[in-house]
């Protein structure tokens, strides 16, 4: 019994020292910013950074229009390099936890910021990445 406990403790210590589980991707760095529409904060918008062929990063603006991107549920940030940026306020229909329907929310901003986005941001690996966007409803 002592031998089994000792081996288990040693194995646990080795795993702890070596590290286990997913490690952060070094090509992913933190990105945050503020989205405004006609000079006013844009709350409840979804922000996506799409880096070519890799997975996108996303975030949601708070009541002040501020967002932080997440690459995965455990890692904040976006992939280093040029990213196409999509910002949308539209949401499909859904339902509450008790099954009550929630109506869809129509898009409030022009397609040039989402479906046909012309926005880009170059994520840098050697500086703070603050990506602010001031959108126009016209």
């Amino acid at each position: 019994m002592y031998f089994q406990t000792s081996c288990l403790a040693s194995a646990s210590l080795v795993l702890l020292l070596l590290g286990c589980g997913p490690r952060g991707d070094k090509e992913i760095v933190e990105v945050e910013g503020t989205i405004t529409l006609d000079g006013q904060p844009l709350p409840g918008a979804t922000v996506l950074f799409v880096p070519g062929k890799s997975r996108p990063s996303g975030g949601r603006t708070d009541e002040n229009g501020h967002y932080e991107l997440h690459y995965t549920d455990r890692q904040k940030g976006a992939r280093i390099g040029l990213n196409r940026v999509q910002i949308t306020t539209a949401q499909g229909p859904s339902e509450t936890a008790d099954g009550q329907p929630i109506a869809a929310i129509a898009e409030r901003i022009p397609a040039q910021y989402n479906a046909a986005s012309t926005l880009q941001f170059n994520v840098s690996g050697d500086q703070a990445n603050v990506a602010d966007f001031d959108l126009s409803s016209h």
Side-chain angles (χ1 to χ4, degrees):
M1 180 73 164
Y2 172 75
F3 178 74
Q4 288 175 327
T5 305
S6 177
C7 285
L8 183 58
S10 295
S12 297
L13 180 59
V14 167
L15 287 175
L16 182 62
L17 292 175
L18 291 177
C20 57
R23 294 177 190 251
D25 187 331
K26 294 182 185 349
E27 292 295 311
I28 306 302
V29 295
E30 292 187 14
V31 178
E32 67 174 314
T34 301
I35 310 295
T36 56
L37 178 62
D38 298 326
Q40 298 298 312
L42 183 62
T46 300
V47 182
L48 288 177
F49 274 48
V50 184
K53 295 182 181 182
S54 184
R55 74 183 300 160
S57 295
R60 192 149 174 88
T61 59
D62 64 16
E63 63 277 353
N64 298 312
H66 182 263
Y67 69 94
E68 292 180 344
L69 292 179
H70 293 268
Y71 186 68
T72 66
D73 60 343
R74 294 183 177 180
Q75 188 172 17
K76 288 184 180 182
R79 185 159 299 281
I80 293 171
L82 188 61
N83 284 257
R84 186 167 67 98
V85 179
Q86 295 174 284
I87 303 168
T88 183
T89 57
Q91 294 180 21
S94 60
E95 54 185 47
T96 64
D98 62 353
Q100 296 299 314
I102 299 174
I105 299 173
E107 185 63 71
R108 295 179 22 210
I109 58 177
Q112 69 197 36
Y113 304 126
N114 46 66
S117 183
T118 58
L119 300 174
Q120 295 183 331
F121 186 80
N122 193 24
V123 176
S124 173
D126 59 356
Q127 65 184 31
N129 287 281
V130 177
D132 296 333
F133 296 94
D134 186 17
L135 313 180
S136 173
S137 59
H138 307 296

